[in-house]
Amino acid sequence: MFNLNMVGYTDIIMIGGITAIAVYLWVSSKTKQTTTMVDLKKLKVLPSNVEDNSGAKGASSEKGLIEKMKSSGKTIVIFFGSQTGTGEEFAQRLAKNCRLYGLKALVVDPEEIDLEDLQRLNEIENSIAIFIMATYGEGDPTDNAQELYDYLQRGEWDLKGLKYGVFGLGNKTYEHYNEIGKYFDKRLEELNGSRLIPLGLGDDDVNIEEDFVTWMDKFWPIVCEYYGISASEQDISMRQYKLLNIDDVPEEKIFKGEVHRLNSYNRQKPPFDTKNPFMAPISVKYNLFKGTDRKCLHIELDITGSRLRYEAGDHVAVYPANDAELVDKIGKLLNVDLDQTFSLINIEEDATKKHPFPCPTTFRTALTYYLDITSLPTTQLLKELAQYANDENEKKSLQLMASASEEGKAHYNSFIRDEHTDLVNLLEKMTSLKPPIDHVMELLPRLQARYYSISSSPKVHPNTIHITCTVVEYETKDGRQCKGVTTNWLLNKPVLDDLKSKVPIFVRKSQFRLPFKFQTSVIMIGPGTGLAPFRGFLQERDYYRKEGRLVGKSLLYYGCRKRTEDYLYQEELEEYEKNGTLTKLNVAFSRDQAEKVYVTHLLRKDSNLLWNIIKEGGHIYVCGDAKNMARDVHDLLIDLCEKEGGMGKTQAVQYVKDLGQKSRYVLDVWS
Ligand SMILES: Cc1cc2nc3c(=O)[nH]c(=O)nc-3n(C[C@H](O)[C@H](O)[C@H](O)COP(=O)(O)OP(=O)(O)OC[C@H]3O[C@@H](n4cnc5c(N)ncnc54)[C@H](O)[C@@H]3O)c2cc1C
Ligand SMILES: NC(=O)c1ccc[n+]([C@@H]2O[C@H](COP(=O)([O-])OP(=O)(O)OC[C@H]3O[C@@H](n4cnc5c(N)ncnc54)[C@H](OP(=O)(O)O)[C@@H]3O)[C@@H](O)[C@H]2O)c1
Ligand SMILES: Cc1cc2nc3c(=O)[nH]c(=O)nc-3n(C[C@H](O)[C@H](O)[C@H](O)COP(=O)(O)O)c2cc1C
Ligand SMILES: *[C@@H]1O[C@H](CO)[C@@H](O)[C@H](O)[C@H]1NC(C)=O
Ligand SMILES: *[C@@H]1O[C@H](CO)[C@@H](O)[C@H](O)[C@H]1NC(C)=O
Ligand SMILES: *[C@@H]1O[C@H](CO)[C@@H](O)[C@H](O)[C@H]1NC(C)=O
């Protein structure tokens, strides 16, 4: 084996002591790559401040944070940093719990306040600031918390007197586990704040719901003592929204599925973004697999006239709709007329969020477009629903699952998680459970947009965005068929140009980009649907070759199960290899022989070739499955640096980390 003293390369800088593995997930957002980067506009996935159809601004945006808290008698402020809604949901839930103790809390999106106000919180007697913060990427904050994070980092402020508590959201399978939560907790103390509640960390890979409930169990005794109030929570259910059935609203004033602005789907106005998606017709759609029940869709979305711009490597977000049959089932189970028009109105008059989703609308629209009806029920939902179970055993079962006891957690894990009990299934299993629909709607999370790696290049397809997606379908232990919301909705969508057949989309910039210089060689690793962005990359490189430019080597490592079944874009890829745009096409068929062959096996065989490309400044791209594949590839790269580059382990780890920092090793992975 090589040891450190034998390392002779001068282009390797040794930095000792760093042994952590660096996995750059999703996008490597700390590294600014090239000048071609388009303004990384803050995109929020969750429209959090849906206004009435008037489009008038809420009272929130006019008053400052401190004034707002003072005028409404609120002492607790809860900031959330959230990308996919979990953190925001926790923040709302904590605020709701506050009211059970007679305390008033304000939930705040840090993006929407003047950050200087943080220093003024001590103007409010007995104020507490709670930070519920998710971690992304390489230990990065969410988009909506970026400015707050930068503000704390600059650290020019004295936060003396600030009483605070932090709950972080993360996932232990990522290297930078909960880094943002930990950072906030430490940093606020450094800035002279005083920690009132110990740091809580939620692990999404096990049961983040449970972690949050456990943290709240510690939260309440401390907060109650601080305010000198009784620690026994009144066992009453508190509603945040009240239901208003409406019968006389004109048709054009009713939301029909628009994510934010009324009638924005039939009266389309650019610019298009997360709150104002473009309604794209599907111009092409077909199944890429053959001879198997699994399906993988190739879809072309027509963006003609939308002024939407994209780059190879960007993501397109799709707002889906729930399955009509499931929605009907909920209507029947809860005994409601789904076509009733209603509004859910926040009972607090000056709340930031007037409605939980766009209102007025119908129950059918809300259950179809606004609410996530297929994710597994949270303990909070079960807790609040328990009061509606007429059967004592069912009520006890719900209460037990919602409790923080070991027995309760075990019951939740077996009844909800193992048995995959979603809302419809729960209502079917517990026949005495008949909650009012408005309370259910208040408790369900918002239906989220789904992201897809764009599989085309705008150089070749300026008017279409291509996606390559595997249709999600799986069986539960008791033999029920479950279907992924978005992929099945896309599968069943007709290829027509009417409004009903269009897909609400927006483009999200990524940092998954080809090298700035055409001559730079690229190593692309993407088994399964991980191939998607590389199809865009190849189109782009092919385009430049046709322009007569000198383009560097392009190596592709792709993998699928069987050559005859799920080999994506086989002909295209083989053509690219023939005409030289692809220097070498390497495909691992995992199930065509007795022993599995994966992309990692092929990469290992090519160690020497790969090392030479890396040494000469080549870029490495990895796309697809985060959990196993990306991790294995990462380990392999470290091995490769050790064996081919003659480095020691520590040095190899650092070398790979540096590649990531220089955007020469970039990942676009998901789980
Ligand atoms: C940045 C990014 C890029 C992406 N790019 C692509 C892409 O190019 N192509 C692509 O196909 N996808 C891509 N995805 C994934 C995509 O966004 C969706 O998550 C995926 O299509 C499923 O969406 P859905 O609404 O159909 O399924 P959902 O309704 O969201 O259902 C998926 C959920 O079902 C559950 N589930 C799935 N399989 C099983 C099982 N076997 N057993 C138990 N539970 C299960 C899991 O909880 C899973 O989270 C990407 C994701 C991200 C974050
Ligand atoms: N979280 C996970 O564990 C996981 C894993 C795979 C896919 N997914 C998700 O499932 C969805 C559909 O997947 P898909 O259609 O893209 O892929 P897929 O068809 O399931 O897999 C593509 C190929 O990758 C192989 N593979 C499995 N593990 C690997 C590893 N550690 N390293 C390299 N190759 C490996 C598979 O082999 P075999 O199947 O024969 O082993 C198959 O040949 C995607 O959303 C993907 O993110 C999740
Ligand atoms: C693309 C992606 C990257 C992530 N990166 C990290 C990470 O680096 N560290 C971590 O602890 N958790 C990471 N997570 C887990 C999230 O922080 C976790 O799922 C959290 O509950 C999300 O909260 P939100 O729904 O409020 O955005 C990541 C999740 C995704 C989808
Ligand atoms: C914290 O308080 C001390 C003592 O009052 C002060 O000297 C110091 O500057 C404060 N720190 C910051 C970061 O403002
Ligand atoms: C946590 O991350 C792992 C790996 O990326 C993934 O398999 C798992 O599904 C994630 N957990 C949740 C709940 O998202
Ligand atoms: C190479 O093959 C691809 C895939 O068929 C094709 O689209 C492209 O035009 C070809 N390029 C050249 C330079 O011939």
Side-chain angles (χ1 to χ4, degrees), residues 202-492:
D203 178 8
D204 207 0
D205 198 43
V206 185
N207 189 348
I208 198 161
E209 174 65 29
E210 192 178 303
D211 296 331
F212 183 63
V213 171
T214 306
W215 181 72
M216 281 207 294
D217 280 348
K218 293 197 192 108
F219 178 96
W220 283 114
I222 300 170
V223 171
C224 287
E225 194 189 310
Y226 177 71
Y227 286 111
I229 56 178
S230 153
S232 65
E233 180 186 348
Q234 287 86 25
D235 212 9
I236 45 161
S237 167
M238 276 269 199
R239 294 291 304 272
Q240 185 75 49
Y241 298 96
K242 63 171 186 279
L243 174 71
L244 204 66
N245 279 328
I246 310 168
D247 293 314
D248 52 355
V249 201
E251 194 57 23
E252 69 276 10
K253 291 268 163 88
I254 300 171
F255 280 93
K256 292 165 203 72
E258 305 91 315
V259 287
H260 189 72
R261 187 172 55 81
L262 191 70
N263 293 320
S264 60
Y265 286 5
N266 46 15
R267 278 182 238 142
Q268 292 256 282
K269 265 190 283 180
F272 297 105
D273 56 24
T274 138
K275 288 185 176 178
N276 183 32
F278 174 66
M279 297 299 282
I282 295 178
S283 52
V284 174
K285 183 173 77 172
Y286 54 86
N287 180 9
L288 290 156
F289 291 169
K290 39 189 187 282
T292 161
D293 289 341
R294 297 169 69 221
K295 292 182 198 74
C296 183
L297 303 174
H298 170 82
I299 292 178
E300 299 183 11
L301 299 160
D302 191 345
I303 54 166
T304 310
S306 67
R307 284 202 247 151
L308 276 179
R309 296 258 184 286
Y310 75 98
E311 295 290 327
D314 281 345
H315 300 132
V316 63
V318 172
Y319 283 108
N322 285 309
D323 179 36
E325 249 175 68
L326 278 184
V327 172
D328 278 333
K329 262 193 190 166
I330 295 177
K332 287 213 182 71
L333 285 162
L334 296 181
N335 206 9
V336 292
D337 169 11
L338 289 175
D339 297 309
Q340 171 71 48
T341 303
F342 74 98
S343 203
L344 275 185
I345 297 162
N346 202 321
I347 52 176
E348 275 172 70
E349 281 174 6
D350 59 353
T352 352
K353 211 169 153 176
K354 295 240 176 315
H355 313 288
F357 45 76
C359 287
T361 187
T362 65
F363 292 129
R364 189 185 303 283
T365 300
L367 293 172
T368 305
Y369 297 100
Y370 299 141
L371 296 166
D372 178 348
I373 58 175
T374 56
S375 289
L376 300 183
T378 62
T379 52
Q380 176 77 4
L381 182 96
L382 302 175
K383 181 180 185 172
E384 300 231 12
L385 290 192
Q387 60 182 305
Y388 303 111
N390 287 319
D391 178 272
E392 273 312 306
N393 287 330
E394 290 180 355
K395 184 182 296 232
K396 284 214 184 83
S397 166
L398 289 166
Q399 283 166 338
L400 180 62
M401 285 189 280
S403 76
S405 70
E406 285 310 311
E407 198 194 345
K409 290 172 185 173
H411 187 37
Y412 179 88
N413 280 334
S414 78
F415 186 82
I416 300 291
R417 288 165 78 94
D418 296 349
E419 292 181 33
H420 200 90
T421 305
D422 57 19
L423 178 68
V424 167
N425 206 232
L426 178 76
L427 294 172
E428 284 172 345
K429 282 181 183 165
M430 298 199 168
T431 49
S432 89
L433 180 60
K434 295 289 171 203
I437 188 158
D438 53 304
H439 201 173
V440 175
M441 291 192 305
E442 174 174 332
L443 295 166
L444 289 176
R446 270 294 288 264
L447 183 59
Q448 300 287 331
R450 308 294 203 267
Y451 290 102
Y452 295 93
S453 303
I454 296 178
S455 56
S456 54
S457 157
K459 295 284 181 302
V460 184
H461 300 283
N463 292 318
T464 50
I465 284 179
H466 299 191
I467 62 181
T468 309
C469 71
T470 308
V471 177
V472 173
E473 196 168 357
Y474 55 96
E475 199 167 277
T476 60
K477 278 182 197 155
D478 59 343
R480 279 175 294 126
Q481 282 304 115
C482 287
K483 292 179 168 189
V485 175
T486 318
T487 49
N488 284 280
W489 178 72
L490 288 169
L491 175 70
N492 295 318

Side-chain angles (χ1 to χ4, degrees), residues 294 470 529 560-561 590-591 596 598 625 628 632 670:
R294 297 169 69 221
T470 308
T529 38
C560 63
R561 297 180 187 177
S590 59
R591 305 189 190 183
K596 294 248 173 179
Y598 287 161
D625 164 45
N628 304 308
D632 292 350
W670 61 88

Side-chain angles (χ1 to χ4, degrees), residues 550-568:
L550 262 181
V551 175
K553 292 192 191 80
S554 305
L555 275 67
L556 176 67
Y557 291 85
Y558 167 69
C560 63
R561 297 180 187 177
K562 290 169 187 257
R563 181 188 287 274
T564 53
E565 288 183 358
D566 58 347
Y567 189 168
L568 296 171

